[in-house]
Amino acid sequence: MDLLVLLIPTFPLVAVLLNGLLGSRYSHDLAHRLAWGSVGLSFLCSIGVFTETIRTGVAREVVAYQWIFGGDLTVNLAFLIDPLTCIMLLVVTGVGFLIHLYSVGYMHGEEGFTRFFTYMNLFMVSMLLLVMGNNYLVLFIGWEGVGLCSYLLIGYYFDKVSAAKAATKAFVVNRIGDAGFLLAIFLVFVNFKTLDYTQVFAQASQLSTGMATAIALCLLVGAVGKSAQIPLYTWLPDAMEGPTPVSALIHAATMVTAGVYMIVRNHVIYDMAPVALSTVAWVGGLTALFAATIGLVQTDIKRVLAYSTVSQLGYMFLACGIGAYTAAVFHLMTHAFFKALLFLSAGSVIHALSGEQNIMKMGGLKAKIPWTHALFLVGTLAIAGIFPLAGFWSKDEIMAHAFVHGQYALYAMAAIGAFLTAFYMFRLTYLTFYGTSRLDPHTAEHVHESPPIMIWPLAVLAVLSVLGGFLGVPPEAGWFHHFLHPVVTAVGAGEEHGGGVGLVMTLMVVATAIALLGWGLAHYLYSIRTEAADNVAAKAPGVYTTLLNKYYVDECYDALIVEPVKRLGLVWDWFDRTVIDGVVVGVGRMTQSGSALSTRIEKYVIYGALNVVGYANHLAARSWRRLQTGQVHQYAAIIVAGLFILVHLILAWWTGTSGTGMAR
C-alpha cells in the first residue's frame, strides 16, 4: 500500500517533467497521452488505496523522507491516508481524469497545447499534496501550488488583457487568505511544537478557548480566500477567463473545495471554538444567498455557473459551521460531479457556437446539439435538488441539520438559496436550449455536436450526478457517513440530527417543493410567458441593474482599496526616488569627492613622503654596502668590537644601578 500511496502524486509529476522539459520535441498526441494517462494511473492507485482502507479500517501514515529537522521542528514529507483522504483522492483523480480526457478535444489546435497539459498536471500534483499531506507544511505547499497553477491557467491566454488581469486578481486575493493561513500555522507550532495533524489533534484539548478561536479564525481566513467566500469571492467569477476545462477542474470540482477540506480536517480545533464555528456557518449562509441573487440575471453562461459555484461552496461552509462535517464532504463530492458536468457541458455549447458565451445570443439548441442538451439538463436537475439526483440528497441533508438544530435563520437562507438556484439554473437551460433561436446567422450555420472524446466524459459525470447521492442514503446512516465517521467524531453540533423519520421526510418534501417552485417560475418566465421576465426587470430597474453589476462590489473594492493603494504606491515611488535614492546618490557623490581629495593627498603628500624616505634609505644602503667586503677577518673584527661595546654598556648600566641602590 505504501508504494501505491507514493505513486499517486508521482505519476502526474513525471508527466509535468516530461511535457514541461521535452514537450516541444515530440507530438501533441504523446503530450496529451502522458497527461491523461498519468492522472488515470493515479486514479487506479487511489482506488487501490481506497479499497485497502475499507478492508483494514485503519488510518496510516506513509513517510517519503525526512524533510526538515532542527531544534524543536521536525517535518516529514509524509502522507496521511484515512477515509477523508480517500474520498478526496477519488474525487480529485477521478474527476480530474475525465476533465483531462475532455480537454484533448476542447483544446485541440491550441498553440499552447503542451503547456496547457503541463499546467494541468502540475495542478494535480499540488492538489494531491494538499489532500494527502499529514502535516500543515505539506498542506501549505499544496495550497500554494494550486494557487500558482490557478494563476497560470486563468492567464493561459496571456496575450488577452482581461485574462491577465483576472489571473493577477486571483493571485492577489488568494494571498490575502494565505496570510491568515500562515498565521494559523505559526500559532499551531507555538502551541504544540509540531505541525503533524495526529499530534496536534491529540493535544488540542490543552488549548484555551481563546487560542483555539484564534487558530480557527486564522484558518478560516485562508479558507475564505481559497473557497471564494464573502468577502474574498470576487476572484472566482473573473477566473472564467481561463479555458472551460480549467473552470471545471480548478474552479468547480477541486481547488475551491480546499477550504472546506481544510476546515473538516481541523474540526477538532473548530469544535473547541464555538465563535469560530458560528462565523463559518454565517459566512457560508450569507455567501450561499448572496451569490445566488447575483446568478439570477447574469448573461455569460460560465459566469452563471461561477456564481453557482460560490453559492454551493457557501452550503458546504454552512454545513461545517453547524457541525455537519460529513454532510459538507458529501455535498463536496456530489457538487464535484454535477458542477464538472455543467461546466464541461457549457464548454461543449461554447465549442459548438465557435466561442459564443452570451446566453442571450443562444436559444433553440436542443435539436442541434441533443447530447449536450440532455447532459446539461441532468446537471441542472442535480444542482437544483430535484429528487432523486445527487444534489437533492446532499443539499437536503445540510438544510435538515440547520433546521433540526434550531438554526432557523441559516435554514431560511439555505432554503431561499435553493429556490434561487433552481430558478437561475433552469433560466440558464431555457435560454440556452429552448425557445426561438437568437444565434448569429453565421454562427448558426456552423453549430455542431462535440466529438465523442468530449461527450463520453460528460456521460460518466451524468451517471455519477444521478447515482452518486445514493451513497448517502439513508440520510445520516448511509455508507458514506459510516465510512467518514472515524474522521469526524466528537463534532460540535453532532452528526446525528435525531429529528425522527417523520421530520426527516417532511423536510425532504419541503426541499423538493422549493426546488420545483424555482423550476416552475423559470418555466413560466422563460418558456410560457417569455416577455414576462423583461417586464419584471423593467418594473424594478434599480434592482436589476444592481444584480447585473454584482452589487458593485468590485467597484467598491476598487474605490476603497485598489485605487488608494495605487496612490500610496505613487507616493512611495516619489519618496523612493527623491529621498531614498537621493540619500544613496548623495553618499555616492560624497564618496566620489572624498575619493578625488584622497587621490590628491596620496599623490602629493604620501607619495612625496615615501619618495623622501626611499631616497634616504637608498643613501643609507649605499653607505652600509661598503661594509660588506666579503673579507672574513673584517667581519670577525666587527663582531669583536660589537661584543666589546655590548659588555661595556652592560657594565655601565650595572654600575649605575648599584650606585643608586647604595645611595638609598
Side-chain angles (χ1 to χ4, degrees), residues 312 330-331 334-335 338 378-400 418 465-466 468-470 472-473 475 504-516:
Q312 296 305 306
F330 187 30
H331 194 55
T334 60
H335 177 262
F338 57 70
V378 171
T380 300
L381 293 169
I383 194 174
I386 302 299
F387 178 85
L389 279 76
F392 165 79
W393 299 106
S394 58
K395 193 184 298 183
D396 171 72
E397 187 174 332
I398 295 171
M399 294 169 62
S465 298
V466 173
F470 289 101
V473 177
V504 171
M505 295 300 296
T506 301
L507 291 173
M508 290 173 65
V509 171
V510 171
T512 302
I514 289 171
L516 291 176

Side-chain angles (χ1 to χ4, degrees), residues 70-153:
D72 294 332
L73 180 62
T74 300
V75 180
N76 294 324
L77 180 60
F79 306 123
L80 173 63
I81 304 301
D82 64 3
L84 178 58
T85 303
C86 290
I87 294 297
M88 295 301 297
L89 283 177
L90 291 176
V91 170
V92 171
T93 57
V95 176
F97 173 68
L98 295 173
I99 294 174
H100 274 72
L101 278 179
Y102 174 94
S103 300
V104 176
Y106 189 87
M107 300 300 292
H108 179 72
E110 290 284 349
E111 184 177 352
F113 188 82
T114 302
R115 173 168 58 90
F116 172 82
F117 280 105
T118 301
Y119 292 163
M120 291 283 276
N121 281 144
L122 182 59
F123 167 80
M124 293 299 297
V125 174
S126 301
M127 191 68 197
L128 290 171
L129 287 177
L130 191 156
V131 301
M132 294 175 67
N134 83 327
N135 60 73
Y136 289 95
L137 196 53
V138 176
L139 168 66
F140 186 73
I141 296 301
W143 190 275
E144 291 300 293
V146 295
L148 170 63
C149 294
S150 176
Y151 170 79
L152 294 173
L153 286 165

Side-chain angles (χ1 to χ4, degrees), residues 576-592:
D576 182 60
R577 287 185 289 103
T578 306
V579 179
I580 305 298
D581 287 354
V583 170
V584 173
V585 171
V587 170
R589 288 175 178 171
M590 289 174 61
T591 303
Q592 186 177 18

